[in-house]
Amino acid sequence: MKLLPKEVEVTLPKLYATENVALKEKMLLVKYFTPDSSWSWYVCEYDKEERLFFGFVDGNFPEWGYFSLDELLDVVGPLGLKIERDLYFSPIKFKDLKL
């Protein structure tokens, strides 16, 4: 599975495009997850030159921050599984995310 197909990439706002939007109101547009652990990455913005996302990471210590597409491609979970894009995820506001 391709993590960031062109048809998804073109829908993402550029990095810093939503910096004036309150965190609780930010749109989470794409979800990545590890099928063999509890980590998830939610994308709000993307820079295609740097291959860098901004979004929310739900892991050991949930936080907002930057993460790279290259890092996501390299991660292997505890059972040897790669990160996947959630094909059934629908964009939502952060305040509506059920953690």
Side-chain angles (χ1 to χ4, degrees):
M1 165 195 296
K2 188 166 184 172
L3 285 185
L4 189 60
K6 281 289 181 199
E7 63 269 13
V8 173
E9 180 182 321
V10 298
T11 67
L12 299 175
K14 293 183 182 201
L15 214 53
Y16 309 112
T18 69
E19 69 181 342
N20 293 324
V21 176
L23 290 178
K24 68 180 183 173
E25 297 295 327
K26 284 196 184 285
M27 290 299 297
L28 305 175
L29 303 169
V30 178
K31 176 185 177 186
Y32 297 108
F33 67 98
T34 50
D36 55 353
S37 78
S38 61
W39 282 66
S40 295
W41 294 259
Y42 297 90
V43 175
C44 294
E45 304 169 350
Y46 180 65
D47 181 299
K48 68 179 183 176
E49 283 78 36
E50 293 188 42
R51 297 169 54 95
L52 187 66
F53 296 108
F54 175 77
F56 183 72
V57 181
D58 186 14
N60 291 339
F61 302 99
E63 64 182 340
W64 288 91
Y66 298 91
F67 48 96
S68 83
L69 178 58
D70 296 321
E71 289 174 332
L72 293 181
L73 290 167
D74 288 341
V75 170
V76 177
L79 299 177
L81 300 176
K82 304 283 275 173
I83 290 178
E84 296 181 21
R85 181 170 42 91
D86 186 340
L87 301 177
Y88 301 101
F89 179 76
S90 296
I92 60 170
K93 288 185 178 181
F94 176 70
K95 69 181 179 181
D96 298 324
L97 182 65
K98 307 289 188 230
L99 296 174

